[in-house]
Amino acid sequence: MEPTKKAWKLYRERIGDWQEAYMEKLVQKYVEYLQENLPASDKFWELENRIKNDKKKPGVLIEVRKSSMIWDIVRLIHDEVVTVKDLEGFSNELVEAVELILNR
């Protein structure tokens, strides 16, 4: 399914906010972890590992391309960056396509 111009515009408008909110959640998780009663070296290396893995997720870094928009939305939902409810304003056809992929 090729996204409509309206869907593509809406996606580009929202992706930055979605990522910002997701990164805020990650930062809060990092803070909670850093407050645990563990040796500093353990926390340092674990945090480095978490950041290394997290920055590969679409909630942090994504190449915004119209051709992969639907698949990227699926990945964002799978990684709990957004939910299907966050797709309000997108066409029913697009939401149904995303849900179909998610339910496979």
Side-chain angles (χ1 to χ4, degrees), residues 3-15 66 69 90:
T4 64
K5 287 182 181 182
K6 180 183 175 187
W8 176 234
K9 181 181 178 189
L10 187 57
Y11 176 71
R12 288 185 325 220
E13 289 171 359
R14 291 188 182 175
I15 188 66
K66 187 175 183 180
M69 184 182 98
F90 287 93

Side-chain angles (χ1 to χ4, degrees), residues 30 33-34 42-51:
Y30 300 156
Y33 176 71
L34 290 171
D42 290 350
K43 291 190 283 189
F44 178 88
W45 293 112
E46 176 61 23
L47 182 60
E48 191 271 340
N49 188 47
R50 288 184 185 193
I51 291 171

Side-chain angles (χ1 to χ4, degrees), residues 25-63:
K25 289 179 195 175
L26 290 176
V27 168
Q28 291 304 317
K29 287 180 182 180
Y30 300 156
V31 168
E32 290 170 14
Y33 176 71
L34 290 171
Q35 292 175 344
E36 290 182 12
N37 189 20
L38 296 169
S41 58
D42 290 350
K43 291 190 283 189
F44 178 88
W45 293 112
E46 176 61 23
L47 182 60
E48 191 271 340
N49 188 47
R50 288 184 185 193
I51 291 171
K52 180 181 172 184
N53 290 326
D54 288 339
K55 69 183 181 181
K56 297 175 187 174
K57 295 181 180 180
V60 175
L61 182 64
I62 191 169
E63 185 175 333

Side-chain angles (χ1 to χ4, degrees), residues 68-82:
S68 64
M69 184 182 98
I70 292 175
W71 292 102
D72 291 338
I73 291 171
V74 169
R75 288 177 54 215
L76 291 165
I77 292 171
H78 184 264
D79 286 351
E80 299 178 352
V81 176
V82 296

